[in-house]
Amino acid sequence: MSQRTPLPPADIERLIALGRPIVIHEGYALDLAAWINCHPGGRLAILHMVGRDATDEINIYHSPKALLMMKKHRLGRIAEPWTNLEPPIRSPDFYKNLAARKAAAASANGAPSTPSHPSFVHQADTRPKDAAVSEKNASTPTTCTRRTCSAASVDAEKQPLMQVPNAALDKQTNREQFAAELERQEVAQGLLDNPSVDAETQRAITMDYRALHEQIKAQGLYQCHYTEYLKEVGRYSLLFVTFLGLLYAKWYLTSAVVLGFFWQLIMFTAHDAGHRGITGNFIADTLIGAFIADFCCGLSIGWWKSSHNVHHLLTNMPEHDPDIQNIPLFSTSPTYMKSILSSFYNFQFIWDGAADVIVPYQRYLYYPIMALARFNLYMLSWLHLVSPRAAQLGAAWWTRPVEILFMACYWAIYGYALVWKTLPNWPIRIAFVLVSHLSTGILHVQITLSHWGMPTADLGPVESFPQRQLRTTMDVDCPPWLDFFHGGLQFQAVHHLFPRMPRHNLRRAQVLVREFCDKTEIKYQCYGFAKGNGVVLNRLEEVAKMVKTLVDCQQYMAETGASGLH
């Protein structure tokens, strides 16, 4: 098929239904079947763009050289204006159909069936294109008292894929109906609070965003100022030397605090490298990121990139964004009450009795858990490196052994040479480990601050990339002299629009983004650090009240024998 051959949208939809991972870019259909297993950004980044016009996502994430390489994957030019489809991986039936195909194939080969990660073979969603949007636009107020509970029924397609004992069926169905109604209310509020999601409005926003992108490039905001990194290295060196001095003086716990601050600040540069925002060269930035994250901090830059790429594309989507999937400890969306299946982890987050008990208190658990979050990151890092996902990087295969080597060095230096050999006894060892890790807690607050308080409602496939990023992301206002403390994370909304931009240019870009928001009437959400924390805590409290309402309803039904929500 010639790349110049006009392709009717119906033909592309049929190819997608047959399992072809086709993405629209610059008016062309790209068939990425030959590339998906070699994509350094991971398979999921492509799978979630299947059937969509991903021009903006592709252009802001890739260098000019990478964009030129994409031309060889062109099937042909789109004959008509493209209307976004929901990617098959986001269909409730995707994993069910995938499991059925795997089981059938295994049965045919006489082998037992086993779960697997999603492939690029999809089952098409045969519902009308506007079905999901029309479902979400219907909104009926939900109330619950000791006397009554009311909610609209949930679409059967949205039921979890797990098997449930009959005795628990009514309780689970009621919970899903309640969650579905809350989702509809949040969608309705999102439609009221933001520019219309009709095609014409979103197309205008997209064109303004592309003009902004050209303005960003024309002003040289993609150019990294290495003198700024000399200042960063000075700060890191001062902290590390101070840590060594205090350790030598046997001020063990004070040195642990300084080490924690060192870890916090240096990880900001690892974040820059993970986005190729330092040299722009994949190998150089990957090695910089691996040295800082793996060797200096014991955290896998590969794990971070695999989850962070998906987070940027699917910000605050409960089923798909791994950064907000924290059940049963935290829930930032009523969607989790439906026991969602994560497309990132290929694992079902089951809403159970533990979530009913813990989530109502999540506001009070937020800071204690953030203080200990680093221990969880160690586990996730090693799980990533031993998983097949770490090997599915094509030409970037070498990153896995490099990371394993660097992380082994970290534990040899920190775990053995420092904690075991240098510190004198077990009480000091335990206190040193806890204090050094507690000192990095502010970093985890910074990481969650810009998203956990923001909306999670899905306004449909027509919503443009810039509108979704600005709708689900919050910036933190601070004076310029404090930028080093936040490390660029205070400009998350700007960063989500232009992720490859060096962080030292984000403040200049913020001015242009504010002008863009004024023109498009998209709300630019920017709060001080204290108020931003309040926004997150209020959202945690809001969801906690939803859960408490549901639990009270279920208690009432158990006491009275009521049949369920009606």
Side-chain angles (χ1 to χ4, degrees):
M1 183 181 296
S2 170
Q3 291 187 359
R4 297 183 178 181
T5 303
L7 295 175
D11 289 354
I12 297 173
E13 291 184 39
R14 279 194 290 270
L15 290 173
I16 292 173
L18 292 173
R20 302 277 281 276
I22 295 176
V23 176
I24 311 303
H25 176 250
E26 302 271 342
Y28 287 89
L30 307 182
D31 187 348
L32 301 177
W35 175 243
I36 192 168
N37 287 325
C38 304
H39 184 221
R43 294 161 52 85
L44 285 176
I46 292 177
L47 289 173
H48 279 288
M49 293 295 107
V50 171
R52 295 179 59 87
D53 185 339
T55 298
D56 295 318
E57 291 89 336
I58 290 174
N59 287 348
I60 65 163
Y61 279 103
H62 297 86
S63 66
K65 181 179 178 181
L67 294 176
L68 286 174
M69 292 173 57
M70 293 182 192
K71 291 184 177 181
K72 66 182 181 181
H73 298 291
R74 288 177 174 177
L75 277 180
R77 180 172 286 280
I78 305 299
E80 305 169 25
W82 183 256
T83 300
N84 282 340
L85 309 176
E86 283 285 4
I89 193 174
R90 302 187 199 175
S91 165
D93 293 331
F94 174 71
Y95 293 95
K96 184 164 56 177
N97 293 328
L98 179 63
R101 287 194 296 272
K102 294 291 185 182
S107 177
N109 294 329
S113 61
T114 56
S116 67
H117 289 280
S119 70
F120 59 83
V121 180
H122 303 291
Q123 178 69 29
D125 187 349
T126 57
R127 290 180 298 167
K129 293 179 183 178
D130 296 329
V133 176
S134 63
E135 282 179 29
K136 294 172 181 176
N137 288 346
S139 177
T140 303
T142 298
T143 58
C144 181
T145 66
R146 295 292 291 171
R147 292 188 176 185
T148 63
C149 304
S150 65
S153 62
V154 67
D155 189 328
E157 284 188 315
K158 298 295 185 180
Q159 300 296 329
L161 306 183
M162 61 181 179
Q163 295 296 319
V164 183
N166 288 337
L169 185 58
D170 286 342
K171 184 176 180 179
Q172 177 188 316
T173 302
N174 291 335
R175 185 177 67 242
E176 292 174 3
Q177 289 177 349
F178 182 73
E181 176 57 28
L182 292 171
E183 284 180 317
R184 280 190 283 268
Q185 291 182 7
E186 294 200 342
V187 168
Q189 191 63 48
L191 293 172
L192 287 173
D193 293 343
N194 295 277
S196 171
V197 292
D198 68 88
E200 183 178 351
T201 300
Q202 294 301 307
R203 174 66 177 169
I205 290 173
T206 295
M207 298 309 294
D208 286 334
Y209 170 68
R210 292 175 185 175
L212 172 63
H213 193 196
E214 292 303 314
Q215 190 177 6
I216 291 285
K217 291 188 286 187
Q219 293 193 15
L221 296 183
Y222 276 113
Q223 300 301 314
C224 182
H225 300 290
Y226 294 108
T227 54
E228 295 296 333
Y229 280 106
L230 290 177
K231 299 176 187 177
E232 300 291 348
V233 171
R235 292 189 189 99
Y236 307 154
S237 300
L238 178 61
L239 283 170
F240 194 73
V241 169
T242 303
F243 153 69
L244 291 176
L246 292 169
L247 184 67
Y248 180 78
K250 298 184 179 181
W251 287 32
Y252 296 121
L253 298 190
T254 308
S255 71
V257 172
V258 177
L259 178 60
F261 289 160
F262 168 78
W263 281 336
Q264 174 180 332
L265 291 187
I266 201 170
M267 277 303 294
F268 295 140
T269 298
H271 177 266
D272 299 345
H275 280 290
R276 295 173 62 182
I278 301 177
T279 70
N281 178 277
F282 176 80
I283 294 177
D285 279 351
T286 298
L287 288 174
I288 292 171
F291 175 76
I292 294 173
D294 297 74
F295 184 86
C296 296
C297 301
L299 306 176
S300 166
I301 192 68
W303 160 76
W304 177 85
K305 288 170 73 172
S306 71
S307 66
H308 203 66
N309 288 338
V310 176
H311 160 71
H312 266 265
L313 292 172
L314 307 163
T315 310
N316 270 23
M317 296 187 75
E319 300 93 338
H320 311 299
D321 183 354
D323 282 15
I324 62 170
Q325 293 176 346
N326 302 288
I327 297 300
L329 297 178
F330 297 108
S331 175
T332 58
S333 170
T335 299
Y336 290 113
M337 288 188 246
K338 296 161 61 177
S339 296
I340 62 100
L341 182 64
S342 166
S343 63
F344 180 82
Y345 293 108
N346 194 16
F347 172 83
Q348 188 158 28
F349 285 88
I350 297 176
W351 189 281
D352 54 13
D356 282 342
V357 172
I358 297 173
V359 171
Y361 299 97
Q362 61 182 353
R363 176 189 178 102
Y364 308 103
L365 296 173
Y366 177 63
Y367 293 114
I369 291 177
M370 290 300 106
L372 300 172
R374 190 178 181 87
F375 294 104
N376 181 53
L377 301 187
Y378 288 141
M379 179 188 69
L380 292 174
S381 294
W382 281 110
L383 288 176
H384 168 78
L385 290 177
V386 300
S387 73
R389 183 175 290 161
Q392 295 173 341
L393 297 176
W397 63 270
W398 54 269
T399 60
R400 185 184 198 178
V402 166
E403 286 199 78
I404 291 174
L405 174 63
F406 280 1
M407 286 179 63
C409 290
Y410 168 83
W411 286 108
I413 296 170
Y414 176 77
Y416 178 74
L418 174 57
V419 175
W420 179 252
K421 297 295 290 184
T422 303
L423 302 180
N425 53 55
W426 274 110
I428 290 179
R429 288 176 186 138
I430 293 172
F432 184 94
V433 169
L434 286 175
V435 170
S436 61
H437 287 67
L438 288 171
S439 298
T440 65
I442 187 66
L443 174 61
H444 305 295
V445 172
Q446 289 172 308
I447 291 171
T448 58
L449 187 60
S450 291
H451 300 293
W452 279 26
M454 296 295 101
T456 59
D458 182 8
L459 302 189
V462 178
E463 185 178 27
S464 63
F465 171 78
Q467 177 167 311
R468 177 165 187 90
Q469 295 303 323
L470 289 165
R471 182 171 63 84
T472 57
T473 310
M474 173 181 69
D475 272 357
V476 175
D477 192 22
C478 74
W481 63 268
L482 201 55
D483 283 351
F484 81 93
F485 178 78
H486 293 286
L489 298 185
Q490 75 276 34
F491 298 117
Q492 277 290 292
V494 183
H495 169 64
H496 267 249
L497 292 177
F498 307 105
R500 290 189 300 114
M501 184 186 298
R503 67 169 142 125
H504 302 105
N505 295 334
L506 292 174
R507 183 171 285 278
R508 288 174 59 195
Q510 183 188 44
V511 177
L512 302 178
V513 170
R514 285 184 183 274
E515 294 173 356
F516 166 77
C517 290
D518 289 340
K519 182 178 181 181
T520 59
E521 298 183 351
I522 300 175
K523 183 180 179 182
Y524 176 64
Q525 301 170 100
C526 184
Y527 308 101
F529 187 73
K531 185 172 182 180
N533 274 258
V535 170
V536 172
L537 294 175
N538 287 341
R539 178 58 177 175
L540 294 176
E541 179 67 14
E542 182 182 0
V543 176
K545 288 179 179 178
M546 296 176 187
V547 176
K548 189 176 185 304
T549 297
L550 175 64
V551 171
D552 287 346
C553 284
Q554 291 175 334
Q555 249 180 343
Y556 170 73
M557 290 185 286
E559 292 170 2
T560 63
S563 60
L565 300 175
H566 55 277

